């Protein structure tokens, strides 16, 4: 019998030791889930006097990948952001807590690892050792704020189905946000996206195990795109003069203990492209940008960071990391 995909459940929890699976402690409301185990088959192509190419396939190294996306919830969004940035400082003695996130620049520079739990109704599997390689947030004035995330993990294994419990915090509507460019309100921004990305490389060694020796996170980049109502030449001029303004994408709602915030701050963005578009009844400008690393956006670990993310929610210290 077919099984309903809408019964799927995605859970996540931080690991104490890399690759040692732990039961889910939080559950993410998502729209799509894309697990994929990556088993490399090593072909036996030794010639045996026949006009064939492969005689056998030997199991080689194995790891997995996990992609998911959904609406931005100001509390559950913190798992992916912490998993890709790594430098987390939490302040506050009660809700709402403030979480400041930037690139981790101390020690090995490796962000925390997580176990992703996937209940697909037919069964449930855990994907341990998850390190995030991409987190992208998209927003527009006529839709929800959404995100997508990609992680590289160790090979999956079966587990018992977790019992989910979901956040009571509502997701964010796109119109609620405020965008500032160069410190000035940019009320003409119709839509945009900001993508934080870094490579995660499985390192395979001769150690008697199919599992990678490590999943290694590389350097981080931040880039994105804005679509504007073109009221004047100001943003085109920023591109042509390589002005590198600051950029803030800020969402806040609620009061008191229920106050929440998702803010992406980039002190210096270089416009890599700007194009005038006339496909609608009004003129638009599409701007591509790349955030430049700077010391102002760095976290507690110092150094440089291209972006600083601020979350405000009821998640207590020590939960994300």
């Amino acid at each position: 019998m077919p099984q309903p995909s809408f019964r799927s459940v995605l859970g996540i929890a931080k690991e104490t030791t890399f690759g040692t699976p732990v039961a889910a402690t939080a559950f993410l409301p998502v729209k799509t889930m894309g697990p994929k185990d990556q088993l490399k088959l090593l072909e036996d192509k030794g010639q045996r006097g026949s006009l064939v190419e492969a005689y056998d396939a030997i199991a080689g190294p194995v790891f997995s990948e996990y992609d998911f996306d959904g609406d931005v919830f100001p509390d559950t969004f913190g798992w992916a952001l912490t998993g890709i940035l790594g430098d987390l400082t939490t302040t506050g003695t009660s809700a709402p807590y403030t979480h400041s996130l930037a690139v981790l620049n101390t020690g090995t520079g490796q962000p925390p690892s997580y176990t992703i739990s996937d209940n697909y109704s037919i069964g449930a599997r855990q994907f341990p050792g998850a390190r995030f390689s991409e987190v992208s947030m998209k927003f527009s004035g006529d839709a929800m704020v959404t995100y997508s995330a990609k992680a590289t993990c160790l090979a999956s294994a079966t587990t018992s189905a977790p019992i989910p419990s979901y956040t009571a915090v509502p997701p964010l509507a796109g119109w609620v946000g405020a965008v500032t460019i160069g410190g000035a309100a940019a009320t003409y921004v119709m839509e945009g996206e900001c993508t934080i990305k870094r490579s995660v490389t499985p390192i395979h060694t001769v150690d008697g195990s199919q599992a990678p020796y490590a999943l290694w996170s590389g350097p981080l980049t931040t880039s994105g795109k804005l679509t504007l109502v073109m009221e004047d030449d100001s943003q085109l001029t920023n591109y042509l003069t390589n002005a590198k303004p600051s950029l803030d994408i800020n969402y806040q709602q609620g009061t008191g203990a229920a106050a929440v915030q998702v803010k992406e701050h980039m002190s210096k963005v270089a416009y890599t492209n700007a194009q005038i578009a006339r496909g609608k009844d009004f003129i638009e400008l599409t701007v591509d940008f790349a955030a430049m690393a700077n010391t102002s956006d760095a976290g507690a670990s110092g150094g440089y960071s291209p972006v600083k993310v601020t979350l405000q929610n009821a998640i207590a210290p020590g939960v994300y990391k």
Side-chain angles (χ1 to χ4, degrees):
M1 288 289 291
Q3 295 293 322
S5 59
F6 280 85
R7 289 188 59 200
S8 298
V9 173
L10 176 61
I12 194 167
K14 67 174 182 178
E15 296 176 345
T16 302
T17 303
F18 170 79
T20 300
V22 291
T25 57
F27 296 87
L28 313 184
V30 295
K31 293 180 178 178
T32 66
M33 304 153 70
K36 186 177 182 181
D37 280 300
Q38 300 275 17
L39 172 63
K40 184 176 182 179
L41 295 178
L42 310 174
E43 291 186 328
D44 172 8
K45 293 186 177 181
Q47 296 184 25
R48 291 164 169 78
S50 297
L51 293 178
V52 297
E53 185 173 77
Y55 291 85
D56 202 356
I58 310 302
V62 61
F63 64 97
S64 66
E65 295 173 336
Y66 204 103
D67 303 347
F68 57 92
D69 63 60
D71 297 326
V72 169
F73 291 76
D75 49 2
T76 60
F77 192 31
W79 294 97
L81 287 170
T82 305
I84 196 166
L85 288 164
D87 185 325
L88 170 65
T89 300
T90 300
T91 56
T93 56
S94 61
Y97 299 96
T98 299
H99 312 275
S100 297
L101 290 151
V103 178
L104 180 64
N105 288 315
T106 52
T108 62
Q110 298 301 291
S113 64
Y114 300 91
T115 297
I116 296 174
S117 297
D118 182 345
N119 180 2
Y120 48 100
S121 74
I122 298 169
R125 304 190 76 86
Q126 287 181 321
F127 294 78
R131 294 201 189 276
F132 284 90
S133 59
E134 183 175 321
V135 179
S136 180
M137 186 176 82
K138 296 184 179 181
F139 59 95
S140 66
D142 60 355
M144 302 292 286
V145 184
T146 63
Y147 78 102
S148 60
K150 298 180 179 180
T152 302
C153 321
L154 300 180
S156 69
T158 57
T159 188
S160 57
I163 300 174
S165 176
Y166 291 99
T167 176
V169 176
L172 297 168
W175 64 266
V176 173
V179 179
T180 61
I181 300 175
T187 58
Y188 44 81
V189 175
M190 295 187 295
E191 62 183 29
E193 60 183 273
C194 183
T195 299
I196 304 171
K197 184 183 293 188
R198 67 194 310 171
S199 62
V200 177
T201 304
I203 301 175
H204 300 292
T205 61
V206 184
D207 61 355
S209 172
Q210 283 182 279
Y213 166 78
L215 298 176
W216 195 254
S217 298
L220 183 141
T221 63
T222 302
S223 61
K225 184 176 184 178
L226 300 173
T227 301
L228 323 169
V229 177
M230 193 175 182
E231 297 180 343
D232 53 40
D233 278 349
S234 58
Q235 299 312 316
L236 179 59
T237 300
N238 278 340
Y239 167 60
L240 294 173
T241 61
N242 193 24
K244 300 187 185 73
S246 62
L247 174 62
D248 288 274
I249 303 164
N250 188 22
Y251 280 87
Q252 287 181 281
Q253 64 183 23
T255 59
V260 294
Q261 180 183 31
V262 176
K263 180 181 180 181
E264 295 184 323
H265 170 74
M266 290 150 276
S267 292
K268 186 168 64 173
V269 296
Y271 289 177
T272 57
N273 185 53
Q275 184 172 351
I276 298 172
R278 298 181 177 87
K280 298 178 181 177
D281 293 337
F282 55 92
I283 298 174
E284 297 177 320
L285 183 71
T286 301
V287 174
D288 297 329
F289 66 84
M292 302 290 103
N294 62 90
T295 56
S296 296
D297 295 342
S301 62
Y304 290 73
S305 179
V307 61
K308 176 174 283 186
V309 180
T310 301
L311 298 179
Q312 193 177 53
N313 53 45
I315 302 296
V319 175
Y320 293 136
K321 180 181 178 182

